[in-house]
Amino acid sequence: MSEVRISTGIPGLDRMLEGGLIPGRVYLVKGAPGTGKTTLAMHFAMEGVARGEKVLYITLEEPVENLKQDMPKLGFNLENSNFILIDATPTTDTYVLMDSMFESFAKGFDRMMETIKTQFVSLRFQRLVIDPLTMVKLTTRDEIEYRRLFLEFIKTMHRLRVTTLLTSELEKCDVEEYLVHGVIELKRFEVDGRVARGIRISKFRGSSFDDALRPYMITSEGLVVNTDEILRAF
């Protein structure tokens, strides 16, 4: 019997993953600003919604209003009862979020994890996005404590069978890359004077995968991966 996989919402990426993600695991998407991390995360979230799953999306950097303005231009409809979008971004006036229950989201991983577990009790979501994890890590000064909390978070999500996608802008994500079940890298560089983008899977536990650097584009329909070509300028 073949192993169950869940789609990322991006056909080319699913092919690279040999069918999609393994459910109930935690994955990291890393890349510089402008590489399309949020777009990839939104594909993952909306694919869950399309399949009737509940999805919790926590935005720590891009305000909800911006997402609601920008994402429909890429074909994503955020107005769905199965899509729970939490604005955990700091504001210019106050650090309190739109609901006092979430006011400590960006102040530490431990409190954020407790809030996620609380939400799970009532919402029973199957997919979780934290975009970007960078904001949490930068507010956690104790590396040993952060590692402990991050490992606890991964174990909790695995136990709850919640498939989780984390994004990060940090070039060095040593702790995260070591502990998560899979890592997807988004690259942007110049080829013959033009900007090129490439996607690579550098880790995917429990399965074989396509580790070539494949070109991708950000289009009016979101992120499109071309698995027929390999980028060699990296």
Side-chain angles (χ1 to χ4, degrees):
M1 185 177 178
S2 60
E3 183 180 45
V4 174
R5 297 294 180 97
I6 65 170
S7 174
T8 63
I10 304 171
L13 180 55
D14 285 347
R15 287 194 291 273
M16 293 178 71
L17 294 164
E18 299 197 351
L21 300 171
I22 299 173
R25 298 191 175 191
V26 178
Y27 301 94
L28 176 69
V29 176
K30 57 179 289 191
T35 51
K37 297 181 299 300
T38 296
T39 302
L40 192 156
M42 198 60 73
H43 272 289
F44 167 76
M46 291 296 102
E47 180 66 20
V49 170
R51 293 174 181 272
E53 302 173 12
K54 289 190 184 302
V55 179
L56 179 62
Y57 193 111
I58 302 167
T59 175
L60 287 156
E61 189 171 76
E62 192 73 20
V64 160
E65 288 309 309
N66 288 3
L67 290 176
K68 288 184 175 181
Q69 288 178 15
D70 297 339
M71 289 298 110
K73 298 172 185 175
L74 300 177
F76 301 120
N77 178 17
L78 308 190
E79 302 301 326
N80 189 294
S81 60
N82 282 341
F83 183 63
I84 302 96
L85 181 58
I86 301 300
D87 191 334
T89 59
T91 66
T92 54
D93 299 322
T94 176
Y95 217 61
V96 178
L97 309 177
M98 63 181 187
D99 187 320
S100 60
M101 185 179 190
F102 303 106
E103 77 177 296
S104 297
F105 255 48
K107 294 182 180 179
F109 209 92
D110 52 347
R111 294 185 182 182
M112 184 176 69
M113 186 168 66
E114 286 304 314
T115 304
I116 289 171
K117 287 191 288 187
T118 300
Q119 289 296 293
F120 180 80
V121 171
S122 59
L123 299 173
R124 296 290 172 180
F125 49 86
Q126 288 88 34
R127 300 191 188 205
L128 168 67
V129 174
I130 300 177
D131 179 29
L133 182 67
T134 312
M135 299 298 291
V136 179
K137 185 169 186 177
L138 293 177
T139 59
T140 309
R141 297 181 179 179
D142 189 326
E143 259 189 64
I144 295 176
E145 181 68 359
Y146 175 78
R147 182 188 178 92
R148 182 188 70 78
L149 292 168
F150 190 74
L151 181 58
E152 184 181 341
F153 167 76
I154 288 177
K155 289 180 177 178
T156 299
M157 294 302 100
H158 189 60
R159 185 176 70 252
L160 297 177
R161 297 293 292 168
V162 174
T163 310
T164 304
L165 200 66
L166 312 171
T167 72
S168 178
E169 294 177 355
L170 298 178
E171 186 175 343
K172 290 190 67 176
C173 302
D174 297 339
V175 172
E176 296 84 359
E177 291 189 47
Y178 181 75
L179 295 176
V180 297
H181 299 97
V183 179
I184 299 169
E185 300 180 61
L186 299 177
K187 306 284 187 181
R188 185 177 60 188
F189 43 89
E190 279 195 18
V191 177
D192 297 327
R194 300 180 64 182
V195 174
R197 292 182 172 89
I199 185 169
R200 167 181 285 159
I201 301 166
S202 57
K203 176 181 179 180
F204 190 36
R205 286 181 184 164
S207 172
S208 56
F209 58 94
D210 175 5
D211 64 355
L213 183 66
R214 302 289 184 180
Y216 72 94
M217 297 178 63
I218 301 175
T219 73
S220 59
E221 297 181 349
L223 200 147
V224 178
V225 177
N226 182 358
T227 54
D228 293 328
E229 295 183 21
I230 296 178
L231 284 175
R232 304 183 185 280
F234 172 68

